[in-house]
Amino acid sequence: MDDEEVSVLVVGGGLVGLSAAAFLRGHGVTTTVVERHPGTSVLPRGRVMNSRSMELYRACGLEPVIRAAPPSVFERYPELARVETLAGPEVYRVRREEPGSVAHLSPCEPAFVDQQVLEPLVLGHGRKLGADIRFSTRMLEFEQDPDGVTALVESTATGRRHRIRARYLIGADGHRSPVRRELGIATHGPGVLHHVANIVFEADLTALLRGRLISVCYIDRPEAGTLLAMFERQDRWLLMVPYHPEHGEHLDDFTPERCLELVRTATGDPTLDARIVPTLDGADRPVQGWELAARVADRFRDGRVFLAGDAAHVVSPAGGFGANTGVQDAHNLAWKLAAVLNGWAGPGLLDSYEPERQPVAETTCAFSAAKQHERSRADGAGGGFSPLALTFGYHYRSTAVIGGPPAGTDPCEPADLAGLAGTRAPHVRLEREGATLSALDLFGERFVLLTGRDGTPWAEAGTRAADRLGAPFAAHRIGTDLVDPDGDWGARYHLGHTGAALVRPDGFVAWRSVDHGGRGGAALEGELAHVLGRLLARTGP
């Protein structure tokens, strides 16, 4: 039984685990991923990566690869509807927003890409950066001590077992999360809304669609909560039908004959020529089951073990926030682990992960559950605030933020945030040596101090303070080092020519000051050294 050592062990090789590996390797952290399945997802699952997730992929070099990938059918079929049956009356039909609607907020439009297309791209990028990603490998057990985590893993192909010693472990192992269960972490929230059987089928639904560009359809038959979604092409579809184990129903009851009957009932064509396709190669039944649930883990951390993605929170599919929230968990955690492992932050920085990400998960969970209910039961509105607020407007309150918005977790409309501490730094179009870039392109690897054109004292003091702490740092004067062609920086950040905003590697404002008050030299250096020391858990409050 061989032993290995690695900085971070990621359990779970779905989209969140693979993204965590790519983000960690981008910071130079040695990373191993183990995944019990033989490969990446074969189901679409997430169909849209929102603008915030695409900003994170942009920062690690993945955005061009994703843009070049075959787009989801969602791009060509932008309509969502609720009907009695596909052939029957409509309750409502709406069209998704046209592309370009977030250009004033972000350099990244959402990407319509199916998860079974996206995961191999993230996998390849992670491996290119040096991540060790192993499929057909499951973790049997783990234990932690003050210095790290020791995991016993097994190859499901050969039965070979060995130990992996890691400084930290990330459980990205799905909604049933053996890691979470082993830690004894409970969940809260609505819980299981209903159990769902996935039925994949091939059929020509052209006549039933009647020229409508529907890719997602909530259907009242065979019962409310049934969902029909186009797969990766026009003649392949996924029917998600509620079933009731509490009444003795089992997935084994879904024979090919019953699946065909359910497809015909949902489409409203009793003679539809459809072929049922197994959802997994070699599976002994034609369907795959899952829980449509809404719940959040009571804790996102236990010692040196962290939860991310579905292991930490499960949200309903409505709104498409599940995968996006998980990717953003991974990004938040990756830079903090890297800062600690690379020696420029104290271990206390990791205490900020849970208080930052758990409220976001709870808000997203509530939003998606409400939207799911409205889409399947009423007029399709739902939510309570805009998706753009959920995408861009959530804010953090933790020891890794100094100052910030008032207490509360409700996201704000992006236009209302104005570069406050604890919020995502606003996008501003800038120019450098004739090339156009976004302010967001300045972030990712280090703390960045943005100042106005008269902010030289801040820039010089920040550089000296960061050198004292050994923290990666850069300073940029807007209007001097970088051109602000539209004159937007001051208005977006609510700062004048002598103001400054300190931005974390994840693109969130950590601290700000409206001006330097005519001070310079040692005074500003001392202030910024104290600010950086607090943010990096190197000094007390």
Side-chain angles (χ1 to χ4, degrees):
M1 186 179 292
D2 300 328
D3 289 347
E4 302 177 39
E5 291 189 5
V6 68
S7 293
V8 179
L9 173 63
V10 181
V11 182
L15 182 60
V16 174
L18 294 173
S19 297
F23 297 147
L24 286 163
R25 284 302 303 150
H27 291 288
V29 175
T30 58
T31 307
T32 295
V33 180
V34 295
E35 166 56 53
R36 64 186 180 88
H37 288 110
T40 54
S41 174
V42 298
L43 292 175
R45 298 184 183 177
R47 314 295 291 261
V48 181
M49 299 311 293
N50 66 29
S51 292
R52 179 57 186 155
S53 295
M54 291 305 297
E55 290 171 0
L56 307 183
Y57 286 139
R58 176 187 178 100
C60 76
L62 255 173
E63 187 194 15
V65 179
I66 296 172
R67 300 286 182 199
S72 169
V73 292
F74 273 30
E75 190 169 71
R76 289 178 289 122
Y77 293 84
E79 293 182 347
L80 178 149
R82 181 186 165 211
V83 299
E84 181 181 300
T85 67
L86 193 59
E90 290 182 0
V91 178
Y92 67 81
R93 177 158 51 101
V94 296
R95 190 181 182 94
R96 297 185 191 89
E97 285 187 77
E98 293 293 331
S101 60
V102 300
H104 61 298
L105 298 173
S106 173
C108 300
E109 297 295 340
F112 290 89
V113 58
D114 293 339
Q115 193 162 329
Q116 86 273 21
V117 173
L118 178 59
E119 284 188 5
L121 301 180
V122 182
L123 166 65
H125 189 71
R127 282 179 167 163
K128 181 180 177 181
L129 293 175
D132 181 5
I133 302 171
R134 308 174 191 180
F135 291 95
S136 299
T137 305
R138 59 175 180 162
M139 184 177 70
L140 300 175
E141 61 186 34
F142 70 93
E143 60 180 15
Q144 58 176 315
D145 55 60
D147 299 318
V149 182
T150 302
L152 178 64
V153 303
E154 178 184 67
S155 166
T156 59
T158 66
R160 177 179 172 269
R161 296 181 176 186
H162 64 281
R163 295 186 186 90
I164 298 178
R165 177 68 174 173
R167 297 277 301 279
Y168 296 97
L169 184 149
I170 300 175
D173 51 344
H175 70 281
R176 292 189 176 93
S177 185
V179 171
R180 186 186 67 231
R181 188 169 59 246
E182 177 66 23
L183 294 172
I185 297 176
T187 61
H188 58 275
V192 177
L193 305 178
H194 53 253
H195 294 81
V196 179
N198 284 345
I199 303 171
V200 178
F201 68 95
E202 293 177 353
D204 183 359
L205 302 184
T206 304
L208 298 173
L209 287 169
R210 304 191 299 277
R212 297 172 293 179
L213 301 178
I214 295 173
S215 55
V216 173
C217 196
Y218 291 84
I219 300 180
D220 290 344
R221 297 183 59 194
E223 67 174 278
T226 299
L227 182 67
L228 179 68
M230 192 179 291
F231 214 81
E232 81 276 19
R233 60 181 198 244
Q234 299 173 22
D235 65 340
R236 182 173 285 191
W237 295 79
L238 174 63
L239 183 68
M240 293 176 256
V241 182
Y243 76 101
H244 306 279
E246 70 275 14
H247 297 151
E249 246 187 318
H250 192 274
L251 289 174
D252 291 337
D253 300 331
F254 288 84
T255 62
E257 294 76 18
R258 185 185 177 201
C259 290
L260 179 58
E261 178 187 349
L262 291 168
V263 167
R264 288 173 171 172
T265 299
T267 58
D269 184 348
T271 62
L272 180 70
D273 181 16
R275 184 175 78 89
I276 305 301
V277 180
T279 55
L280 293 174
D281 291 338
D284 56 0
R285 59 188 176 213
V287 302
Q288 183 181 8
W290 58 285
E291 296 174 349
L292 197 160
R295 57 178 175 240
V296 178
D298 291 349
R299 292 180 288 126
F300 281 24
R301 179 188 185 186
D302 186 297
R304 289 178 172 264
V305 182
F306 300 84
L307 301 178
D310 285 355
H313 45 74
V314 177
V315 305
S316 78
F321 283 98
N324 286 284
T325 305
V327 168
Q328 292 156 33
D329 291 342
H331 191 266
N332 181 288
L333 184 56
W335 81 265
K336 294 173 181 177
L337 285 169
V340 173
L341 289 164
N342 292 333
W344 48 275
L349 175 63
L350 301 175
D351 295 337
S352 66
Y353 173 65
E354 180 180 306
E356 290 188 354
R357 294 305 301 168
Q358 190 181 51
V360 173
E362 290 169 338
T363 302
T364 304
C365 183
F367 174 89
S368 296
K371 202 167 192 69
Q372 183 79 24
H373 177 79
E374 292 297 326
R375 283 184 174 178
S376 60
R377 307 283 176 177
D379 63 0
F385 30 76
S386 78
L388 283 182
L390 264 184
T391 300
F392 297 112
Y394 58 86
H395 54 266
Y396 294 151
R397 294 181 63 83
S398 75
T399 55
V401 172
I402 298 176
T409 58
D410 284 351
C412 303
E413 294 302 323
D416 297 334
L417 294 176
L420 297 180
T423 67
R424 165 189 164 275
H427 157 63
V428 177
R429 189 173 72 92
L430 301 171
E431 292 179 357
R432 180 167 52 193
E433 298 178 354
T436 299
L437 69 156
S438 166
L440 276 61
D441 294 327
L442 304 173
F443 316 135
E445 298 178 356
R446 56 183 64 86
F447 272 79
V448 172
L449 188 72
L450 299 181
T451 75
R453 68 187 184 200
D454 298 327
T456 300
W458 282 125
E460 293 177 347
T463 300
R464 292 193 300 270
D467 285 345
R468 283 167 53 184
L469 292 169
F473 177 87
H476 302 282
R477 295 169 297 172
I478 311 301
T480 303
D481 305 322
L482 296 164
V483 178
D484 178 13
D486 305 316
D488 284 344
W489 183 78
R492 293 278 177 90
Y493 283 77
H494 282 216
L495 292 172
H497 299 316
T498 61
L502 183 63
V503 183
R504 309 185 324 185
D506 60 353
F508 273 70
V509 179
W511 168 90
R512 56 185 273 128
S513 179
V514 293
D515 60 51
H516 51 59
R519 295 172 299 155
L524 290 187
E525 180 181 342
E527 180 176 355
L528 285 174
H530 179 65
V531 165
L532 281 168
R534 280 184 59 185
L535 295 171
L536 295 173
R538 299 275 292 274
T539 61

